[in-house]
């Protein structure tokens, strides 16, 4: 996965920053003895290998594996639509996922997310935290990234931080190179690209205050009578 020097740095980082245990849940597929059309998943072995090496770096990390085909009911219950999907389960209130096999900058972002989930707290502004505490509508944030994108970890971590703080938030980071069909569907021509509730699209890295302002505008209903007056005009 990484060099011994980087592995030692990761081990030290996990030792310093992990407060409580974190479970990494991998939805993937078992190795198949024969080729089955439609069941190709070139990223699945890589995702499992990365996570196995990662949990070997800290006693506070656990790995749980689920076959998305034989355990389809569980996958659907968790909202898992594609494999490999990694769920981060710690003290986070919302759902935190990564789709693909994390590498490069994606892996560093995942490590930060694991640390945040371990503590159950983040460095977001108090205004953002208060707003999240009052949030009553579901918020689905999907950030497209690539392993070589240096700006993607900022958006990935911000999305995951919101999920740490609120049970209303589901934050997914998607490796665009692993799921080109998703990238095509959402017209991802550059990363990071963020899709919110399949309604709002944001290009590039966005500051926390700007993102929250966009989220507020998206989730705030128009004033009563606004639509009626617009129609009359």
């Amino acid at each position: 996965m990484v060099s011994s020097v980087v592995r030692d740095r990761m081990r030290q980082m996990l030792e310093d920053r992990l407060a409580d245990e974190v479970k990494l849940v991998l939805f993937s597929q078992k190795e198949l003895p024969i080729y089955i059309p439609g069941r190709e998943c070139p990223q699945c072995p890589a995702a499992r290998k990365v996570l196995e090496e990662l949990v070997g770096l800290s006693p506070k990390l656990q790995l749980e594996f689920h076959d998305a085909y034989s355990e389809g009911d569980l996958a659907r219950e968790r909202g898992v639509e594609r494999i490999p999907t990694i769920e981060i389960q710690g003290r986070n209130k919302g759902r935190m996922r990564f789709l693909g096999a994390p590498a490069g900058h994606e892996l560093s972002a995942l490590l930060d997310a694991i640390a945040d989930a371990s503590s159950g707290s983040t460095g977001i502004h108090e205004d953002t935290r208060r707003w999240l505490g009052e949030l009553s509508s579901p918020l689905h944030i999907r950030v497209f990234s690539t392993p070589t994108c240096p700006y993607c970890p900022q958006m990935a971590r911000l999305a995951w931080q919101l999920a740490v703080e609120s049970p209303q938030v589901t934050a997914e980071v998607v490796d665009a190179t692993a799921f080109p069909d998703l990238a095509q569907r959402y017209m991802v021509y550059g990363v990071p690209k963020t899709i919110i509730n399949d309604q709002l699209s944001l290009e590039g890295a966005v500051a926390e205050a700007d993102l929250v302002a966009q989220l507020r505008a998206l989730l705030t209903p128009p004033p009563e009578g606004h639509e009626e007056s617009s129609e009359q005009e």
Side-chain angles (χ1 to χ4, degrees):
M1 181 179 69
V2 294
S3 68
S4 59
V5 174
V6 174
R7 189 179 297 111
D8 288 342
R9 289 176 183 169
M10 291 168 56
R11 181 182 289 108
Q12 188 61 53
M13 174 269 190
L14 293 170
E15 182 179 337
D16 293 341
R17 296 181 59 187
L18 293 192
D20 288 333
E21 291 186 354
V22 174
K23 182 185 294 183
L24 303 176
V25 182
L26 174 62
F27 283 88
S28 183
Q29 66 178 17
K30 296 177 182 177
E31 292 188 18
L32 301 174
I34 59 173
Y35 171 75
I36 301 178
R39 293 278 296 269
E40 302 90 348
C41 183
Q43 294 274 325
C44 286
R48 185 162 188 167
K49 182 178 181 181
V50 168
L51 295 187
E52 287 175 343
E53 291 196 33
L54 200 55
V55 299
L57 299 179
S58 172
K60 292 183 178 179
L61 293 180
Q62 302 174 17
L63 176 59
E64 182 175 295
F65 176 86
H66 294 285
D67 178 22
Y69 290 99
S70 63
E71 300 176 80
D73 289 343
L74 177 61
R76 284 187 290 274
E77 179 186 324
R78 299 277 188 86
V80 174
E81 299 177 346
R82 295 168 184 273
I83 57 173
T85 289
I86 301 165
E87 282 192 347
I88 304 171
Q89 296 182 2
R91 297 177 63 186
N92 45 301
K93 298 173 183 175
R95 288 187 168 174
M96 305 167 66
R97 300 179 184 140
F98 181 87
L99 277 66
H105 292 292
E106 294 172 337
L107 182 57
S108 65
L110 184 70
L111 288 170
D112 285 332
I114 290 170
D116 287 339
S118 174
S119 65
S121 62
T122 68
I124 61 172
H125 297 149
E126 282 303 317
D127 287 346
T128 302
R129 187 173 287 110
R130 280 194 295 269
W131 175 72
L132 288 170
E134 299 167 357
L135 193 61
S136 59
S137 301
L139 196 58
H140 188 282
I141 305 173
R142 180 180 282 124
V143 179
F144 285 91
S145 71
T146 64
T148 57
C149 168
Y151 308 106
C152 292
Q154 176 184 332
M155 284 307 298
R157 190 175 188 196
L158 181 53
W160 277 327
Q161 284 178 324
L162 299 183
V164 169
E165 299 283 351
S166 172
Q168 294 289 354
V169 178
T170 295
E172 292 183 343
V173 177
V174 182
D175 184 344
T177 63
F179 299 98
D181 59 322
L182 273 181
Q184 183 176 14
R185 180 195 303 177
Y186 289 102
M187 295 183 287
V188 178
Y189 304 119
V191 289
K193 182 167 185 175
T194 305
I195 309 295
I196 301 161
N197 284 5
D198 279 348
Q199 299 176 48
L200 177 64
S201 174
L202 302 176
E203 305 278 353
V206 180
E208 177 186 328
D210 295 331
L211 175 63
V212 172
Q214 298 261 23
L215 297 178
R216 285 178 180 269
L218 177 67
L219 299 178
T220 301
E224 190 173 342
H226 176 75
E227 290 187 7
E228 183 178 337
S229 62
S230 297
E231 289 176 2
Q232 289 176 354
E233 291 176 3

